[in-house]
Amino acid sequence: MILQNQFMQDSTSHTHSVPSNEIEISVTDIVHFFKSNLRSMVLWGAGFGVLGAIYAFTAQKEFESKAVVLPEIASSSSLGKIGGLGALAGLAGIDLSQMNSTEAIRPDLYPSVTQSLPFALYLLDQKVFVSSTQKTLSLKNYFESLNESWLSKLFDSKEEEKPKLDPTQSSQAVELTQKQEALVKQIQQRVVTAFDRKTGIITINTKMPDPVVAATVARLSVEYLKEYVTNYRTDKARKQLTFLQKQVNEAKARYQSSEAALAGYRDRNSFLVMNSAKITEQRLQSEFMLAQNVYNGLVQQYEQARIRVEEETPVFKMLEPAKIPLKKSEPKRIMLIFLFSIFGVILVIVAKFIPSFQNYYKLHQ
């Protein structure tokens, strides 16, 4: 090899000038090395480039869809009084506006909601339209159809599911099968939620092999997040509203019953002037007035509870709805071919340089 011969020539010409324990490689050696191995680098680079092209054109296409939401962040007048402190806290990465309400879920926790197990199980049960097959099926069945490779169809290989550890559900805990766990991991990897602390904007990115499925999953993710946060913030108010509704119905029944009893007694005893009749009428009148007051008071509280539910319901402003992507995001074919070619060239350089360097090093020991 030219590099090895050049090393030997340099070693003989610089025997007295270069110490025996040092290795000197000149620019000329490097130039000769690349010139002598240029053909190998081109061939290997082209070969790996072809492999990269095969991989790029056979790899599964991926489409990304994005939805941008601006959630309501609760504010209070007390924070306005400490505006300077809030600004200093913002520089330190602390948002005081998220600490003023103990009943509202913080927006920076929204990504954790979309990474939770209930969210993944919810998405897997939803129906999606697949543009490639023009069929509507559940997201779970769609993923299962993607996982069916031609090898599995050829050999009909089916993995046996392990028996459940808690078939009677005595632990009351969620138990997933191996397939379900794999599908949940796919959902968690393909649906990513990001929260911008400076702007308060929530961005939901979804990546799916089908463009329509990607947009559908992004829309379903926004709907789930809205419903989850709404239920979280209004849960207490809704429970109170349900309780008051039950009390109003019972008070209304007592009010109507006492009203009917009083009216019936007066109709039957309209001409009686006995004191006992008057006392009975006064008692029925008192029961009627009490039932009426209780009913009116509960109705007022019920209407206030309804107003409170509406006040507690958070507002989500859709800045950018989920749309069907027209272009694939992966694979980036040109980039893959380039990287494969570079890898082939580097592999040749390493394979050619190491033996030459070892031989040269042995000669100078």
Side-chain angles (χ1 to χ4, degrees):
M1 294 177 63
I2 295 179
L3 180 60
Q4 184 175 355
N5 296 334
Q6 183 68 30
F7 285 165
M8 295 177 64
Q9 293 174 6
D10 290 343
S11 63
T12 55
S13 60
H14 295 83
T15 305
H16 302 286
S17 60
V18 181
S20 60
N21 59 347
E22 293 184 4
I23 300 175
E24 183 179 289
I25 301 177
S26 65
V27 177
T28 307
D29 298 331
I30 299 176
V31 173
H32 281 301
F33 173 79
F34 279 101
K35 283 184 178 181
S36 60
N37 295 284
L38 180 61
R39 186 170 178 274
S40 298
M41 288 188 290
V42 171
L43 292 176
W44 280 75
F48 272 81
V50 172
L51 292 178
I54 295 175
Y55 173 77
F57 283 93
T58 57
Q60 181 175 263
K61 296 180 180 179
E62 297 289 346
F63 297 86
E64 288 188 5
S65 182
K66 178 177 67 174
V68 181
V69 182
L70 180 62
E72 177 188 12
I73 300 179
S75 61
S76 87
S77 58
S78 60
L79 289 178
K81 298 178 183 178
I82 55 173
L85 182 59
L88 293 176
L91 294 176
I94 302 174
D95 190 359
L96 294 180
S97 63
Q98 300 174 8
M99 302 171 60
N100 63 327
S101 176
T102 57
E103 297 182 358
I105 184 172
R106 292 162 41 188
D108 58 347
L109 295 179
Y110 290 174
S112 299
V113 176
T114 56
Q115 288 293 307
S116 63
L117 177 61
F119 170 73
L121 296 177
Y122 162 80
L123 281 184
L124 291 174
D125 291 335
Q126 301 306 304
K127 298 291 184 180
V128 294
F129 177 77
V130 185
S131 61
S132 59
T133 60
Q134 296 293 307
K135 293 182 180 180
T136 300
L137 63 163
S138 66
L139 191 61
K140 175 184 177 181
N141 293 334
Y142 172 66
F143 279 135
E144 289 178 349
S145 65
L146 291 177
N147 294 334
E148 290 181 358
S149 63
W150 64 272
L151 285 175
S152 62
K153 293 180 179 179
L154 180 62
F155 295 101
D156 194 20
S157 59
K158 295 183 179 180
E159 295 183 359
E160 295 183 359
E161 288 288 341
K162 296 181 179 180
K164 290 186 176 182
L165 300 177
D166 187 12
T168 60
Q169 289 293 318
S170 59
S171 63
Q172 298 182 358
V174 179
E175 183 179 2
L176 301 178
T177 63
Q178 291 181 345
K179 290 184 178 180
Q180 287 177 328
E181 189 172 357
L183 293 175
V184 168
K185 289 181 179 179
Q186 281 204 51
I187 292 293
Q188 293 174 345
Q189 293 173 357
R190 292 180 175 273
V191 181
V192 179
T193 303
F195 171 66
D196 191 338
R197 293 181 177 272
K198 294 182 179 179
T199 61
I201 292 177
I202 302 293
T203 304
I204 299 178
N205 290 284
T206 59
K207 182 187 295 184
M208 294 289 166
D210 187 89
V212 179
V213 176
T216 305
V217 171
R219 176 183 59 81
L220 292 173
S221 301
V222 173
E223 293 177 358
Y224 180 89
L225 189 61
K226 287 182 179 179
E227 184 178 359
Y228 182 88
V229 177
T230 300
N231 292 337
Y232 183 89
R233 289 189 57 176
T234 61
D235 182 63
K236 183 178 179 180
R238 289 183 182 276
K239 287 182 179 179
Q240 186 177 8
L241 183 65
T242 303
F243 173 75
L244 287 174
Q245 177 69 57
K246 181 180 178 181
Q247 296 298 314
V248 166
N249 293 336
E250 294 178 356
K252 184 179 181 180
R254 290 195 300 266
Y255 166 67
Q256 292 176 345
S257 177
S258 60
E259 183 182 31
L262 178 60
Y265 182 81
R266 284 177 176 177
D267 292 339
R268 292 191 304 269
N269 302 282
S270 58
F271 298 102
L272 296 178
V273 293
M274 294 184 300
N275 291 331
S276 59
K278 291 181 179 180
I279 291 174
T280 302
E281 182 180 1
Q282 290 176 359
R283 179 177 58 79
L284 293 175
Q285 178 72 24
S286 299
E287 292 178 357
F288 168 73
M289 294 300 296
L290 178 61
Q292 185 181 43
N293 292 335
V294 171
Y295 174 70
N296 292 335
L298 288 173
V299 168
Q300 185 178 6
Q301 293 182 30
Y302 177 75
E303 293 300 327
Q304 292 176 353
R306 289 181 59 185
I307 295 174
R308 178 173 174 81
V309 170
E310 294 298 326
E311 290 177 349
E312 292 292 333
T313 301
V315 178
F316 286 84
K317 180 64 177 178
M318 182 68 71
L319 298 181
E320 183 179 343
K323 59 183 179 181
I324 300 175
L326 301 179
K327 296 181 180 180
K328 61 179 178 61
S329 60
E330 293 179 7
K332 295 180 172 59
R333 293 171 178 171
I334 297 178
M335 181 63 68
L336 283 174
I337 295 173
F338 176 76
L339 292 177
F340 268 78
S341 300
I342 294 298
F343 178 75
V345 172
I346 294 176
L347 193 63
V348 170
I349 293 175
V350 173
K352 296 289 185 179
F353 179 77
I354 291 179
S356 300
F357 182 79
Q358 288 178 343
N359 293 333
Y360 179 79
Y361 182 76
K362 290 179 180 178
L363 292 175
H364 289 76
Q365 278 186 338

